[in-house]
Every structure is written in C-alpha cells, then in structure tokens.
Amino acid sequence: RILSTPSFKTFVSNVLNWFDFLAIIPFYVELLIGRENASGLAAFRILRLFRITRLFKLIRHSSRMMLMMEVVSNCLSELVMLFLTWVMGTSSSVLSCFTWKKAQTSKFQSILHACWWAAVTMTTVGYGDLYPETPLGQSIGSIILFLSMIYIALPMTLIVSKFSSTLAQHAEINADRRRKWKKIPNKHTQKGALF
C-alpha cells in the first residue's frame, strides 16, 4: 500500500495505517526468523491485537456510527463528569465500608469487595451478593444509593439532550442534501433526451 499511495505524507500521517503496520509486523518477523526460532517472541505477538483497530476504519462508512462519535466528542466533558462522580462515589463508599465492617459476619472482606458493592449500588443494579448488615452501614448505603441516582442522572440528561440536538442537526443536513440533489438535473431529465 505504501508503494501505491498517491500521497506518501498523508499515508504516513494516518494513525490507522500505523496500526495496520504494527498488526502485520509479527507475521513478517516470524517469516524471517522462522516459526521454530520465534518462540522467544511470544510477547511480540501481542501486536496482533492491533488488527482490532481495523474496525475503526468502518466507522467512517456508517453515518450512524459517525453520529455516535460526534455525540461522544460533544459530550466529553459530561462523560468526564460522570466518570469522576463514579470515582468519588466509589471511593467514599469504600471508606464508609469500614463503618459497617464491625459485624462479625460481614461479607466485605477487602477493599475490592467494597468497590464491587459501590459500583453495583451506584449503577442501581443491586445484585444482592454484598450488602451492609449494621444499621449505620444500611443508612450510609441508602444515602449513597440516593445520591448516586441523582449524580448519575444529571450528566445523562445532558448527554441525551446533546444526542437529540446532534441527531436533529444531522437530519437537517440530510434533508438539505436531498433537496439539493433533487434540484440538480441529470442528463436524462434534460430537454431533448431520447431515453
């Protein structure tokens, strides 16, 4: 592809082409060294994971995926706020976990168990595998659940609002394109055409 590209500078500056290059390097290294001698290059084969990035090339051919990428780029600050809210809620939940760990039969054996409980509670999934058992822990858990619903709902409304406005803009652009397309005469609709 490098030999047939019209602009070498444009080809080299495209990040997806570099991912393609990194994805095929292990194949050519094994071909040069030999499969028997390439056993020490097992870590080098991880570069084959870059083949997944070829899916990103398909995004530019789908108008819906381009719409989603535009919404994500427009909502970046809201997504960061959502992530930071989740991190703060999880860390405060983990710290408050030790207030209800006083019970002897507590299922919270480590900080990771508390992180799991906080993530499940904050996203309102609530599997029920972990739960606070002391009255203080239950009241703190209820407060965390209530606040997380509010703090997660606020950025989500902004994201949905930006999505609907971006969708309306795309619909308007597509309608303009259709109107312009109908106004352009082609050779078959011109006067004097035989067929």
Side-chain angles (χ1 to χ4, degrees):
R1 288 176 35 194
I2 291 174
L3 298 174
S4 65
T5 183
S7 172
F8 181 74
K9 188 179 263 186
T10 306
F11 182 81
V12 171
S13 64
N14 190 348
V15 176
L16 293 176
N17 291 331
W18 282 101
F19 285 146
D20 284 344
F21 178 70
L22 291 174
I24 63 170
I25 285 177
F27 171 75
Y28 287 112
V29 168
E30 284 183 12
L31 190 65
L32 290 173
I33 295 176
R35 191 169 291 271
E36 303 83 33
N37 299 334
S39 62
L41 298 174
F44 195 63
R45 291 182 189 154
I46 292 176
L47 291 177
R48 290 182 181 175
L49 291 176
F50 281 108
R51 292 179 185 171
I52 296 171
T53 59
R54 292 181 182 181
L55 293 175
F56 293 129
K57 289 184 176 184
L58 297 176
I59 290 174
R60 63 180 166 209
H61 299 297
S62 171
S63 61
R64 296 295 177 189
M65 290 302 291
M66 290 298 290
L67 174 69
M68 290 302 295
M69 293 300 289
E70 187 175 341
V71 168
V72 168
S73 67
N74 288 343
C75 297
L76 202 56
S77 62
E78 287 85 3
L79 291 172
V80 168
M81 183 173 76
L82 185 66
F83 178 72
L84 290 178
T85 302
W86 181 77
V87 167
M88 288 188 315
T90 303
S91 59
S92 66
S93 300
V94 167
L95 293 176
S96 64
C97 164
F98 294 105
T99 61
W100 63 74
K101 195 175 179 177
K102 293 178 183 176
Q104 294 295 326
T105 60
S106 178
K107 296 180 182 178
F108 295 97
Q109 299 165 357
S110 68
I111 291 179
L112 292 176
H113 285 90
C115 285
W116 170 252
W117 174 83
V120 167
T121 302
M122 288 183 66
T123 56
T124 65
V125 174
Y127 289 122
D129 54 348
L130 293 174
Y131 52 88
E133 296 172 358
T134 63
L136 179 61
Q138 290 172 348
S139 60
I140 290 174
S142 300
I143 291 170
I144 289 170
L145 175 64
F146 179 72
L147 290 177
S148 66
M149 286 190 300
I150 292 172
Y151 286 120
I152 288 177
L154 288 174
M156 292 308 273
T157 56
L158 295 172
I159 291 169
V160 169
S161 169
K162 286 195 177 183
F163 177 77
S164 60
S165 66
T166 306
L167 184 63
Q169 287 175 354
H170 274 266
E172 186 177 320
I173 289 170
N174 287 337
D176 287 343
R177 285 182 186 161
R178 281 190 218 109
R179 275 187 244 122
K180 287 179 183 177
W181 181 255
K182 288 180 181 179
K183 290 180 182 179
I184 299 173
N186 60 20
K187 64 182 179 180
H188 299 294
T189 60
Q190 295 175 352
K191 292 181 182 178
L194 297 174
F195 299 107

